[in-house]
Amino acid sequence: MDPTFATSAPLVEKIRPYPRKADSWIMSQIKELTLTSSPLDLTGSCDITHDSPAIVFSAGGYTGNIYHDFIDGFIPLFITANSIYPDRDFIIVVVNPKEWWMPRYMDVLGAFSKHKTILLENENASSITHCFTSAVVGLISHGPMTINPTQLPNSRSLVDFHYLLDEAFNTNLSTFKTQKPRLILVSRYGNNVGRVILNEEKIREMLEDVGFEVIIFRPSKTTSLKEAYKLIKSSHGMVGVHGAALTHLLFLRPGSVLVQIVPLGLGWVAKTCFESPAKAMKLEYTEYRVNVGESSLIEKYSEDDLVLKDPIAFRGVDWNATKMNVYLKEQDVRLDVNRFRQHMNKAYEKAKSFMDIDG
């Protein structure tokens, strides 16, 4: 070791370990960490010394929405770990975790690393100085719900991420045998949530008539992730309106069916959020585009209004919160049962084929 370097002042950096660097508002909500780099603990300032490196990231920001839990957290963590520590010999350090976060994601974290996760969750914990052999602070992201195998040394993909979840939840499908293709109908519910299927009961009846065993799935923050994983993995398909709950597509077996119902004005975001990941997951992806007559917006706007007539022109170049809320919050759907039946007949054939081959 260079003795000059050994006696020099430590290098100090401050960083907010959250991947949305361009979002100045949310970045201001992320706890700032102080990192000190030195070859030796010259001042005896380490409260706890670890023999392994660390990956440090924040569970603050948009955490609490399952879509963001995965695209801002676990998928970038998967990319970072496989880029730098594929042997899993690293310690996960989490900043800003909410009280419910660790119990909900304990199984997932355990699949990433053989070491116990460290939570910096309050002022007392954050005042402790942890020393590691080295640390990666912040996560590598390839984009929303995206893993680019060409950018990883071991060519890992979104399918491999699914297998990591499989390891985390240790699911045995032998207890989930069914005589009909099992379809998970993701149900949006509650006041002012938007994108609710207003005739959901009629849709459920139609789907059962088509031949599916239909299970209504209404996830919440208190839903057991392990039980959700078992349920969805045991299915042969999933259908739901565009929304965060479709993140559960990551729980589907490759080869099963995903049908995304795309409300008016949301085609581009539907593609980015769920179509591209579904195809990367090797799912049989189809989408059902809601027409103007099936959108509740027709009750609020005239047929000549750009909101209905030309959503792209209405949005323009400034896709701001006000315009976003028109399509995401104000809009519910009342599906044309016969038109949707034709679409789901094809989905049934794919799901039945998958069931016959993979059980």
Side-chain angles (χ1 to χ4, degrees):
M1 180 181 295
D2 184 342
T4 303
F5 179 58
T7 57
S8 61
L11 300 175
V12 178
E13 294 283 349
K14 293 183 181 292
I15 189 170
R16 300 179 192 271
Y18 192 70
R20 293 184 171 267
K21 305 303 184 189
D23 189 334
S24 58
W25 181 84
I26 201 63
M27 289 303 295
S28 69
Q29 314 298 311
I30 304 300
K31 183 177 181 63
E32 187 177 67
L33 295 182
T34 300
L35 310 175
T36 304
S37 175
S38 62
L40 297 171
D41 182 25
L42 300 174
T43 63
S45 60
C46 295
D47 296 310
I48 302 175
T49 301
H50 303 275
D51 295 328
S52 297
I55 295 180
V56 184
F57 69 95
S58 174
Y62 295 117
T63 299
N65 174 303
I66 191 171
Y67 179 71
H68 288 283
D69 291 350
F70 279 86
I71 73 163
D72 296 336
F74 297 118
I75 292 176
L77 177 60
F78 182 85
I79 294 168
T80 306
N82 279 280
S83 297
I84 303 170
Y85 304 122
D87 60 356
R88 302 190 188 185
D89 186 13
F90 65 93
I91 298 168
I92 297 173
V93 180
V94 184
V95 187
N96 295 131
K98 298 176 176 67
E99 185 177 346
W100 55 264
W101 188 87
M102 186 62 185
R104 181 169 175 77
Y105 290 119
M106 185 183 302
D107 291 329
V108 178
L109 292 165
F112 275 101
S113 170
K114 54 190 178 185
H115 298 284
K116 184 178 179 181
T117 299
I118 296 172
L119 303 180
L120 303 183
E121 55 189 326
N122 54 51
E123 288 306 313
N124 290 331
S126 61
S127 66
I128 297 172
T129 301
H130 291 267
C131 294
F132 302 91
T133 56
S134 63
V136 176
V137 184
L139 301 175
I140 302 168
S141 175
H142 291 167
M145 200 107 84
T146 301
I147 297 173
N148 186 341
T150 66
Q151 295 183 27
L152 289 175
N154 49 14
S155 300
R156 298 283 181 171
S157 68
L158 210 54
V159 173
D160 295 296
F161 181 77
H162 167 80
Y163 291 144
L164 179 134
L165 295 178
D166 211 34
E167 179 182 339
F169 297 117
N170 191 25
T171 303
N172 179 7
L173 290 184
S174 63
T175 59
F176 289 97
K177 296 299 182 183
T178 178
Q179 299 302 311
K180 298 178 179 180
R182 176 173 289 164
L183 182 71
I184 305 299
L185 174 57
V186 180
S187 174
R188 295 178 64 86
Y189 63 100
N191 296 324
N192 302 315
V193 298
R195 290 160 286 148
V196 171
I197 300 176
L198 299 174
N199 57 339
E200 182 177 274
E201 181 58 26
K202 287 186 177 180
I203 294 300
R204 183 191 64 78
E205 292 173 358
M206 177 272 289
L207 292 171
E208 289 178 343
D209 189 54
V210 165
F212 287 108
E213 174 192 339
V214 180
I215 296 178
I216 303 293
F217 179 56
R218 291 179 172 171
S220 71
K221 289 182 181 179
T222 60
T223 299
S224 164
L225 213 61
K226 188 168 187 174
E227 292 305 312
Y229 187 87
K230 288 180 179 179
L231 173 66
I232 292 168
K233 189 178 177 181
S234 74
S235 75
H236 308 95
M238 185 165 73
V239 58
V241 180
H242 172 82
L246 289 191
T247 304
H248 290 91
L249 71 87
L250 295 168
F251 298 1
L252 289 167
R253 287 177 284 169
S256 54
V257 175
L258 176 68
V259 180
Q260 179 175 201
I261 299 169
V262 183
L264 206 64
L266 296 178
W268 68 275
V269 72
K271 179 179 179 66
T272 300
C273 292
F274 301 117
E275 177 184 345
S276 296
K279 291 178 177 178
M281 269 279 296
K282 302 188 184 305
L283 302 178
E284 288 285 348
Y285 174 84
T286 63
E287 65 184 30
Y288 178 84
R289 294 255 176 163
V290 168
N291 63 31
V292 172
E294 294 171 291
S295 171
S296 67
L297 293 178
I298 200 168
E299 300 167 7
K300 302 179 181 181
Y301 300 89
S302 70
E303 291 187 17
D304 292 330
D305 196 301
L306 283 180
V307 168
L308 300 179
K309 190 175 181 180
D310 194 342
I312 294 176
F314 171 74
R315 292 198 316 263
V317 295
D318 58 334
W319 179 235
N320 57 42
T322 300
K323 292 182 178 181
M324 181 189 302
N325 284 339
V326 169
Y327 297 109
L328 293 176
K329 297 291 188 182
E330 292 184 24
Q331 179 175 204
D332 294 321
V333 297
R334 190 179 301 277
L335 302 179
D336 181 319
V337 177
N338 291 329
R339 178 173 173 250
F340 192 47
R341 178 193 290 269
Q342 293 174 12
H343 192 88
M344 294 308 296
N345 280 334
K346 297 175 183 177
Y348 172 83
E349 294 302 325
K350 292 179 179 180
K352 178 67 164 58
S353 178
F354 175 69
M355 184 185 75
D356 290 344
I357 295 171
D358 289 271

